[in-house]
Structure formats: C-alpha cells, structure tokens
Amino acid sequence: MIKKFDKKDEESGSGSNPFQHLEKSAVLQEARIFNETPINPRRCLHILTKIIYLLNQGEHFGTTEATEAFFAMTRLFQSNDQTLRRMCYLTIKEMANISEDVIIVTSSLTKDMTGKEDVYRGPAIRALCRITDTTMLQAIERYMKQAIVDKVPSVSSSALVSSLHMVKMSYDVVKRWVNEAQEAASSDNIMVQYHALGLLYHLRKNDRLAVTKMLNKFTKSGLKSPFAYCMLIRIASKLLEETEGGHDSPLFDFIESCLRNKHEMVVYEAASAIVHMPNCTARELAPAVSVLQLFCSSPKAALRYAAVRTLNKVAMKHPSAVTACNLDLENLITDSNRSIATLAITTLLKTGSESSVDRLMKQISSFVSEISDEFKVVVVQAISALCQKYPRKHSVMMNFLSNMLRDDGGFEYKRAIVDCIISIIEENPESKETGLAHLCEFIEDCEHTVLATKILHLLGKEGPRTPSPSKYIRFIFNRVVLESEAVRAAAVSALAKFGAQNDDLLPSVLVLMQRCMMDSDDEVRDRATFYMNVLQQKQKALNAAYIFNGLSVSVPGLEKSLHQYTLEPSEKPFDMKTVPLATAVITEQKTEIAPVATSKLPEKLAPSRQDIYQEQLAAIPEFQGLGPLFKSSEPVQLTEAETEYVVRCIKHTFSNHMVFQFDCTNTLNDQLLQKVVVQMEPSEAYEVARYVPAPSLPYSQPGSCYSLVRLPDDDPTAVSCTFSCTMKYLVRDCDPNTGEPDDDGYDDEYVLEDLEVTVADHIQKVLKPNFGAAWEEVGDEFEKEETFALSSVRTLEEAVSNIVSFLGMQPCERSDKVPENKNSHVLFLAGVFRGGHDVLLRARLALADGVTMQVTVRSSEETAVDVILASVG
Amino acid sequence: MDSAALEPSLYTVKAIFILDNDGNRLLAKYYDTGLYPSMKEQRSFEKNVFNKTHKADNEIAFLEGMTIVYKSSIDIFFYVVGSAQENELMLMAVLNCLFDSLSQILRKNVERRCLLDNMDGVFLVVDEIIDGGVILESDPQQVVEKVNYRADENPLSEQSVAQHITEKLALTTTVLQSAKEQIKWSILK
C-alpha cells in the first residue's frame, strides 16, 4: 500500500518531497478540519506541519488569512495529543507577529504552564512570553517567578530564557525577578545554571560592583556547566578590561585556572580571552599558547581551526610567543580544510624566518583559488606584514600579488591587494615602477570605481617623478575615454599633475585636456577647464597651490563658513583662512585585521571630532565671537585613573583665545557635586577671562565645565604656559541607593595635576602631498635657519619622533621614516599656525656623537617662524 | 573591530539551517533579525554557504564574516552559524546536539525523505535546542526526552490515513461479524 503511494508520488513528478508543491490557499482550506469534532490529531498535526513549513520557506501570509488559521488552531487545544499540542505552541510563536489578537490563547497557555504535564510547561512558557507585552506581563508575573525556581529543569530554563528575551522590552518588570534568578543559579542542572547566570548578568551589567560580587561568588563556588564557565570567563575579561586590572588580579587568576578545566570548550575560551587581553606579556601568554598548541593536533577540525585562528592573532603582536608552535603549524599547512591551512601558513609567515618565505608562498599559491575571499584577504594582509619585515623579498611578493590581482574576487579582496601594493611602493622606492605597471594593468579592467580612482590618484602623485612618465599617460587617458564619471574626473586630475611636473609633456597634456573639456559630465568638464587654465599660466606657485596640494580645510567647516558668508553680505572677499582646517587623519593607519566582517563596515562619513566640538562650543553663549575653532587637542588626564573624581582636559585653540574643556566624572555614589569649576593659575602672561561651571555632576554621569583664556597680545611668541588647576565645587551628600541628595551641602576643592600648553597646541597638522612644490610656493621671504645640537638623543629615529611630537606638525613625503644604516636624514614637516599661516620646516639631521640638527623654517608670516625657532631652542 | 571582544551574552547562535543536496532549504531559523532581514538575503547567504561547503566535509568555514560549522548526512546538510568571535566549540556543541537528537528520533535514518516525513519532530527538536538564539539544551538525550516524539514506521499521508481508517473499519466489521456468528452459534447450542 505504501509502495503504491510512493510510486504515484514519483509519477506526479514531485520527487520525494511531500511538501514540494504545497499551495498556501489549499493548505488554509484544509485547515478548516480543525473545526471538526471529534478532532483528528494526525490529520491536524499534518496540516500544522504544512503551515509551519510554508512559513519557514518564506511564504507570505496576509493578516486576515493568518488570523483565521490562528483562531481555528486554538480549537486544537481541546485535543490531548502531545505532539499536536507542541506544534500548536510552535504555530503560536511563528504567527505571533503575523496574526492579530494572538493574546486570545493567553489563558490556555497559562493553564498549560501551571498544569501537571511537565512536557507542556516549558514550551508553554516560551510561547506565552512570545505573545506577551509589558502590560500583560504584570498579570503573569507571579507565575513567571514561580516557574524560574521550579524544580523541573526544563520549566526553569524556559522561564529564565524567556525572561532574558523580555529584558529588552520590559526591563523594569524582569528586574524584580533577580532573587528568583539568583536561586536558580545554584541549581544542580547545568543548563539552568547557565541561563540563570546569563539573566543575572544582563540585569546587572551596568552595575560594576554587583557584577564583581557575582563573579566572586561564582568563581569561588564553582559551576558545573561548561557554558556557564565560558560566560564567566567573558564577564571576567570584560571587567578586567574596564577596570584596567593588572594581571595579578584574582580575575586573571580565575581565567588562567580555567586553562586546566576538563572541557575543551572552557579551555579554549580561557585561552582566547587571555590572547585578546590588551598589553599581555609573553610570559602570561605562554600557558594559553601551549594549550592552543595541543589543540593544533586534535582530530576535530573545529578545534584545530579555533586554535590556529587564535594563534594567528597572537602572532600579530607577539610573533616570538608562537615560534614554539612552528612544528605543529607546519603539519597543518597541508590540512584538507583550506581555512585551517591558510591560517597556518599566514601564521608561519609572521613567525618564520626569511628563508622559509619562498617555500610557504609556493605552498599557498597552490590552493589560493580554492579558499574564500575572507581568507584571501588574510593572506594579503600577511604578505603586507611580511613586506615590512623583509623588504628585500618585495619582488617575490609583487609577483604573487599581481597574479592574485588577475584572479576573480570581490571588492574587499581587490582592495586589500591594491592597498598592499601601494604600501610596498611607498616602502621600497625600487619597486615603484613594477608596482605602478601592475596597477596600470589592473585599472584597464577594473569594475570598482573606488579602486580605480585611488590608483589614478596614486599615479598622479608618483608617476610624474618616475624616469619615464610618458608611458602612464596612455593608461590614464584610456580611463577618460572608457570609464564612468568619477573615474574620468580622477583621471583628469592625474593628467594635470603630469602636465604640471613635466614641462616636455605639457603640450600633449594640454591637448588631452582640451578633449576632456568636451566631456558630457559637469565635474569632468569643470576640472579640465580649471586645470587647463592653471597649466597655461606656467607658474610654479600656482601649480603647487592648485594642482599638487589641494585644499586642506575641513569640508563641513567650509560649507558652514560659506553659508555664513552668504547670510551676511559684505564687501570683503571670502577669507579661506577663517575656515577650520581638516584634522589630519590622513596618516595611514596600518592596523592588521584578522578574518573579520570587513564587508559590513559602515561606509558612512562621520563628522570629524573637531566638527563635533565646534558645534558643542558654539552652543555655549559665553564662547560666541571667538571665531572658528582652530584645533582641539587629544584629551589629557588630570587625575589618576582610580580616584574619587576623574577629570580630563581637552584644549581648544581659537585665533586669540583658548578654551579648556574639563570632562569630569564623579565616581562616588554618595555624592552629588554642583557648580563645578576648574580654577586655573597661569605661570605666564596668560589671562583667564571666564569660567563656565558644570551645574551638577551626579554619580557616574560625565559633565563638562570650561575655562576661557585670552592669549597674550603683546608677546605673540609666548606660546607655552603651565597652569596649576584646582577643581572647586559644592558637595551634597546623597543616599547611594535612591540618589536623593541632602538639602544643604558644603564647598570643597580637589587639586588636579598641572596642565601644559605647548607649541603643538598652536599648530595644526597639514599634509602637503608634494612638499617641494609647497616649499617653493611659500617662498623665502620669512625664511630663518638655525643649527641645534641634540646631545641627549642617540639615534636618528628618536630625534625624528621627538621633533614630530613636540611641534605637532605633519611629516611629509614619508620623511618620518629613517632608512636603516644612514647617518643623515632630512625631515619635512608641514603645518598651519594659529591664524591660518602655513608653516613649513625642513630639518637636516646628522648623527655624530649626538644628533646635530639644522632647521630651516618658512612661513607666510614672521611670527610663526620665530615661535617655532624659539620653542625648538 | 576584531578586538571589540564578545559582549558577554547568551545569544550564541545567529542562525541554523538544514539544506538538501541541491542547496534547497528544508528548514531555516534566523535568530538575529539584523543579520539577513529579508528572505532574499537569507536565500543568497544559504546558496553561498552551500556552494562553499558541499564539496568537502570540512566541518568549519568562515564566510561573510560569520563562523559556520556544518555536517552532512547522506543527502542533507546541517549548518549552525555564529559571529566571527564566537567560541567555535560552542557552535559545534549545538550542531552535534542537533544531529544526534535527529538521528535518534529518525532511528538513524538521517536522510532527506525520512526527515521530511517527520518534519513536525524536526521542528520540535530545533525548538528545544535553540530558543531565540540562546542554547536551551545541548544534551541530545534530554532533547529527545523533552520532544517525546516517535517517528512513524509508515510515513503519514492523507491517503494512507484514509486507507488506514477504512482498513480499521473493515477489520472491526469482520471482528463484529465473527463475534455475531459466535454469539449466534452459542445461542443455537
């Protein structure tokens, strides 16, 4: 009989899937039998399964039809068939968001959750909580509390997990169940323990003290559940990070002790937690690394993967710590799971010696086409790190990268390769021409606009300075002919740079520009016309200002200034110097990322930090009329980390004033501070103009107060000053639990550390992509030169980094990198002095016993030159 | 981004799905609503995962920024998805529990046809293992006990139910008939 049915099924062409040709309307039609008496459990069960299957396949149910089916389903509660009842719960959960009036089943579910049948109780709780909202929750609160401490594990677990889901929606109600959760946490059942711990942590995570207490309790009493241990380890490592606890803390001891747990899951979690801790020393890493080493030879692929992935992370920061595992990693490079093999090879590339590079590269190229894009990115990053380590290997790498560039791959992958090639070009001048040639070939057939424009920009920057710039022109002009608007515009800019730098190419570039002026796109035409006119002037200064070194102002700032200017019509022309500068985020950040979700990065352009401060300060009436914000410093800590009050200061520089922003946090939960000001005593001719107090500082809510200081007019070279700072405030004691303050308070003060204002606060970093051109542009009108001996400095690197951090100027032309084994070096720095005057500095350094430095400063204004020379001396 | 370590949380599993050997979805649950909100995105994710994993039985993969552990049996594939920073062994525990529980209720016949014939049991098993992304139970024995589901020897379908009933009816009539006969004979004696 069954066989006959099967054959029929196959004949009708539906394969062997009984659900294949389900029609939603037919199934809903069938659902009418729910109303028949007596209920046929088997048929009804089958229909419910069909409905859930359809929902699971993404079939869309309209509100009316879903509600109809839902109401018919509620009749099935009359049957006592177990599986049928359970399927009803599932249907309720699936339909909770589609159907209307789902709360109709509340009473049936409440009955099941408190009934005698243990099989129903847990699932009934979970279904009930799915359809309950905040107001209804009050009604079932009593049952929930009972269920949490129920002796049947499945009931207790269900109640705890459902409570956790509802924390998002009604935190205040669930918060009242803490005691019950606490009781459940000491249950014998491992899952109940785990769920109770999870719920407790979610309820208390904002209260660091309570979390600490909870951790102490559980780490001492010990838990049975490996899941709960993993959770504890995560909580402990988070707490360690937040409190910046040292590695002698009992929490660290706890994590380390978990390395000896009998469950691999816990051991791995602990090892991974230690590896991810910031500033971990090699000695502290050693035990974690050795358990990971053991895992490398596990028969379980997931464990090998986990171990080698974590080791890969260790290798980024502490390659030496991983060298002990090299032998185990060697065994993994032929692993049949390509992800494991890739991770093993990239780890070895980081820890291995120069001699093994060729062999590993060969191994990896044998299967690079088989691995996913995510891992290809890992490979590229490893190569990029390798190039920095062994610059001599760049020809091998370049070859490998160019092959990878020709393969198929997504945007992230291609971008990683392009970034890597660009960084190799910048590090190794001798690889420049081959690298540029590979990139030129790549943009001939590149679908990613972002990459094409990036490469064109690079060609414009580097191409003109190569021995034969003319060969790049063809590649660039091809883009003008073939590509989309954005790429065409970038190509035009690149062409202009060739024309400006190479006189013999100028006539041909002008001809090409002429063609671009007939482009169909506005932006391309505008650029072409602009460059055409600049180039025709044949003046070096114009080329420098408008072609090589673009605008250095912040774009939102410019927009705001222009808007302001149009609102107040005046005879004066718009002054570019009043526009705030873009904060130099141009410095390349070479952060290494392991396989992470790079594709999910938000590509939104966030307003810069300085633009945010500008807005904030402009909102304070006392600070109006100060002009545009010139620079905001990094925050300076004025207190130790673990004190009653935490204060940090941000220095905002305006053209004639400085505003000090003190961000204060009160860490005493029994005090409310009011009228907080930071009183400042300057050592020099600075004058404190006014204070803006923070009206009130409740416990752990940061607030800011401000001081406005006028810079001395009579002596413009007095740029540095020391302030002694005292915080003054009115204390009102309060109840730590309710936060209710007493009626009266008393005045008190708190001495802070001294605050220094240095020359770096008056200079904004600006990157001049072409320093030579900028140098010529400023001219030698206010040039001054002096020679200094830096006797305390031993190496050129040290001298360079000291100068850069002291002056707060932007190193250009990568001159902050001192080539190895050289006795002399030239450092180029660029910046803008307060008031908007360009300042350029050239320092020739020579290494003898100490370092001798000849500084040449140029600026458009004399004061700036004097200030810099005076402060260097 | 990677250093942004895991926020301690019970929400471990981002998604779980079972595909057949053509990559078609038999069952899928996405617990993180922000992950792949639309059906189209879910399907394309499943397709991508299937294409990258069905050839080699490698147990673990890293795709679209997600750690994926998987297992295959005859003509079906089981997948458990977690975030990149998730403890891989926790995900493995979920996968093993799912597989072992299903293996028990399907009486070791972990293959497509048998799974589809007992779809209700499969739904219940998944519901007992994961609740909204939280691991509810990881011991297959417990799961099987809680679900308390018995796979039918003869798969359920409407025809067979109808036939079953008529058969039963026929049987009862014959029983009745023979009883009548017997009573008749006993009276006649």
Side-chain angles (χ1 to χ4, degrees), chain A residues 370-383:
Chain A
E370 291 173 42
I371 56 180
S372 66
D373 268 15
E374 277 86 351
F375 282 102
K376 287 181 184 164
V377 174
V378 176
V379 173
V380 175
Q381 281 166 347
I383 293 174

Side-chain angles (χ1 to χ4, degrees), chain A residues 1-2 4-6 8-9 15-20 30 40 42-43 45-46 49-50 52-53 55-59 82-83 86-87 90 93-94 119 123 126 154 157-158 161-162 164-165 168 189-191 194-195 197-199 201-202 205 226-227 230-231 234-235 238 241 264-266 268-269 276 295 300-303 305-306 309 313 336-340 372-375 593-601, chain B residues 1-3 5-12 20 24-29 34-36 39 42-43 48 52 56-67 69-70 83-94 112-113 115-121 123-125 127-139 142 145-150 152-161 163-165 167:
Chain A
M1 179 186 71
I2 296 160
K4 208 166 77 192
F5 163 67
D6 268 352
K8 199 178 157 201
D9 207 350
S16 57
N17 183 350
F19 297 105
Q20 191 138 52
E30 282 183 291
N40 178 340
R42 294 191 64 162
R43 287 194 67 187
L45 186 56
H46 196 62
T49 312
K50 283 182 185 170
I52 297 181
Y53 184 87
L55 282 167
N56 207 267
Q57 291 292 326
E59 187 79 44
Q82 253 188 31
T83 313
R86 297 288 309 273
M87 286 306 274
L90 279 193
K93 288 204 269 189
E94 294 287 337
V119 197
R126 291 189 278 128
S154 71
S157 270
S158 295
V161 173
S162 302
L164 181 68
H165 294 325
K168 288 183 216 108
N189 184 283
I190 57 166
M191 289 323 276
Y194 171 56
H195 296 140
L197 179 68
L199 178 62
Y201 176 71
H202 266 268
K205 64 179 167 193
F227 293 111
C230 291
M231 181 81 183
R234 282 180 204 178
I235 301 175
K238 183 161 191 265
E241 196 178 325
E264 279 170 346
M265 187 196 291
V266 180
Y268 170 63
E269 184 75 43
H276 281 105
F295 288 165
K300 294 180 201 157
L303 195 54
Y305 172 87
R309 196 163 84 100
K313 262 175 227 154
S336 65
N337 186 328
R338 294 309 189 196
S339 310
I340 296 177
S372 66
D373 268 15
E374 277 86 351
F375 282 102
I593 18 175
V596 287
T598 31
S599 55
K600 296 228 149 185
L601 268 177
Chain B
M1 201 165 155
D2 195 50
S3 61
L6 275 180
E7 171 74 8
S9 153
L10 296 189
Y11 293 97
T12 307
D20 69 8
N24 296 319
R25 167 194 288 199
L26 300 179
L27 178 152
K29 297 288 270 175
L35 186 57
Y36 295 104
M39 189 55 60
Q42 294 182 3
R43 296 267 186 186
N48 184 15
K52 291 274 161 53
D57 199 4
N58 276 334
E59 198 170 290
I60 187 157
F62 185 83
L63 285 167
E64 303 192 16
M66 232 81 63
T67 303
V69 292
Y70 60 99
S83 85
Q85 295 87 13
E86 193 48 75
N87 187 330
E88 289 86 350
L89 303 183
M90 272 181 150
L91 300 176
M92 263 330 264
V94 174
R112 182 166 170 272
R113 178 69 214 227
L115 186 97
L116 284 169
D117 283 337
N118 296 287
M119 210 54 198
D120 39 359
F123 282 127
L124 290 176
V125 163
D127 181 62
E128 281 297 346
I129 298 175
I130 309 284
D131 185 89
V134 178
I135 305 176
L136 198 60
E137 184 52 76
S138 64
D139 176 5
Q142 291 287 328
E145 265 172 44
K146 284 186 201 170
V147 171
N148 192 19
Y149 177 89
R150 278 190 48 243
D152 256 314
E153 283 300 335
N154 22 343
L156 181 87
S157 67
E158 272 127 84
Q159 281 103 325
S160 69
V161 169
Q163 250 146 351
H164 194 77
I165 293 168
E167 218 178 306

Side-chain angles (χ1 to χ4, degrees), chain A residues 29 67 85 91 94 178 249 305 308 426 462 503 706 804:
Chain A
Q29 194 77 27
T67 313
R85 182 71 61 88
T91 319
E94 294 287 337
V178 158
S249 141
Y305 172 87
V308 71
E426 286 174 347
E462 301 290 345
D503 289 336
Y706 302 88
V804 172

Side-chain angles (χ1 to χ4, degrees), chain A residues 382-552:
Chain A
I383 293 174
S384 156
L386 210 56
C387 294
Q388 285 179 352
K389 207 160 131 200
Y390 306 119
R392 276 186 295 153
K393 287 277 170 204
H394 68 79
S395 58
V396 185
M397 312 291 171
M398 194 61 100
N399 225 339
F400 186 75
L401 287 171
S402 67
N403 284 334
M404 286 175 99
L405 203 51
R406 283 191 206 108
D407 290 344
D408 290 337
F411 170 65
E412 289 299 329
Y413 172 48
K414 294 280 152 130
R415 185 169 73 172
I417 301 176
V418 169
D419 285 349
C420 184
I421 293 185
I422 292 178
S423 77
I424 294 178
I425 292 175
E426 286 174 347
E427 306 271 328
N428 308 289
E430 63 265 43
S431 68
K432 191 186 279 178
E433 280 196 63
T434 36
L436 289 180
H438 289 314
L439 292 175
C440 281
E441 190 192 324
F442 173 61
I443 53 169
E444 285 285 289
D445 182 23
C446 168
E447 54 193 316
H448 308 294
T449 311
V450 182
L451 292 182
T453 51
K454 188 168 185 171
I455 292 169
L456 283 168
H457 179 76
L458 179 82
L459 283 178
K461 205 172 107 199
E462 301 290 345
R465 289 187 252 178
T466 54
S468 51
S470 57
K471 68 177 176 191
Y472 301 108
I473 301 275
R474 178 174 65 88
F475 290 104
I476 298 176
F477 193 68
N478 277 350
R479 306 278 68 69
V480 178
V481 183
L482 300 168
E483 301 276 353
S484 66
E485 294 80 9
V487 181
R488 294 208 299 270
V492 168
S493 301
L495 271 182
K497 287 183 187 147
F498 280 86
Q501 187 109 346
N502 306 87
D503 289 336
D504 46 334
L505 287 180
L506 184 62
S508 8
V509 168
L510 286 176
V511 172
L512 296 177
M513 280 292 175
Q514 207 109 43
R515 265 203 68 180
C516 301
M517 282 163 71
M518 285 173 287
D519 197 279
S520 59
D521 183 67
D522 288 353
E523 174 73 23
V524 181
R525 269 201 316 274
D526 288 354
R527 285 199 191 190
T529 317
F530 174 73
Y531 289 131
M532 182 87 185
N533 286 310
V534 174
L535 286 173
Q536 278 169 340
Q537 305 301 314
K538 296 189 179 145
Q539 289 182 25
K540 281 260 181 273
L542 282 180
N543 285 351
Y546 297 114
I547 298 183
F548 295 124
N549 302 320
L551 284 178
S552 54

